[in-house]
Amino acid sequence: MTTLKSSEQAHRMLLRGAACWLIMALILAWCMVGLNFGVAPFKAVFAGKFTRLLQAHIDFLLMTALIFGIAATRTPLPWHVRWAMVIGAFTNSSLFLLMAIFPGLDTPEVPPPMLFQYFLFASLLTTSYGFGKASVLVLKATFNRD
């Protein structure tokens, strides 16, 4: 068995993360089909707004496309940038999913619990750092001469 170079392992990690989030988007698509057909267990699990479930589905797709796109550039990225992208992609999308499951998180009259607010801000920071830094590194790589 051959060992992978570190850049190949890094690339593989991004692809694995994107593949997981694409699978999640597909699962959520089927959940929306179940809701549309009035399947009782789906209605019980997703007690919040249907639009929040749709937003989660679309956000998982968007994050998947972003990770695949950045991975396709084959630009070397530090480990902390790759992990921030993959973790941020999940946490960012899961915010909508949590609101679809727990409608109390989605009421403007009542602020959400502090734990949810910390999760939200940590997610925004992680996602912004990962994709922002990756974008800067990809941009810089276009100016490098071979």
Side-chain angles (χ1 to χ4, degrees):
M1 182 174 153
T2 61
T3 57
L4 294 172
K5 294 181 196 172
S6 75
S7 66
E8 291 175 20
Q9 288 173 335
H11 183 71
R12 199 173 266 193
M13 187 272 248
L14 287 175
L15 295 177
R16 286 177 178 162
C20 286
W21 309 153
L22 181 56
I23 291 167
M24 189 66 180
L26 293 170
I27 290 169
L28 294 179
W30 280 105
C31 290
M32 287 186 291
V33 169
L35 279 173
N36 253 356
F37 282 105
V39 178
F42 290 107
K43 291 167 93 175
V45 170
F46 301 106
K49 298 175 187 167
F50 180 85
T51 54
R52 292 301 189 189
L53 186 58
L54 178 61
Q55 285 176 303
H57 166 71
I58 291 170
D59 206 55
F60 272 111
L61 290 175
L62 174 66
M63 294 298 175
T64 297
L66 291 172
I67 294 173
F68 277 144
I70 290 173
T73 68
R74 306 288 283 182
T75 302
L77 302 172
W79 68 268
H80 47 89
V81 172
R82 295 188 312 266
W83 277 103
M85 288 170 57
V86 172
I87 292 169
F90 176 77
T91 59
N92 194 68
S93 304
S94 70
L95 290 165
F96 295 117
L97 185 57
L98 288 170
M99 287 187 271
I101 296 170
F102 304 108
L105 297 175
D106 196 20
T107 18
E109 299 83 32
V110 180
M114 287 305 292
L115 181 62
F116 182 77
Q117 292 180 40
Y118 289 138
F119 183 70
L120 184 148
F121 289 119
S123 174
L124 293 174
L125 289 172
T126 304
T127 308
S128 297
Y129 173 74
F131 286 99
K133 182 72 172 182
S135 298
V136 168
L137 294 173
V138 169
L139 180 63
K140 281 178 63 177
T142 65
F143 293 105
N144 292 344
R145 296 188 181 190
D146 294 323

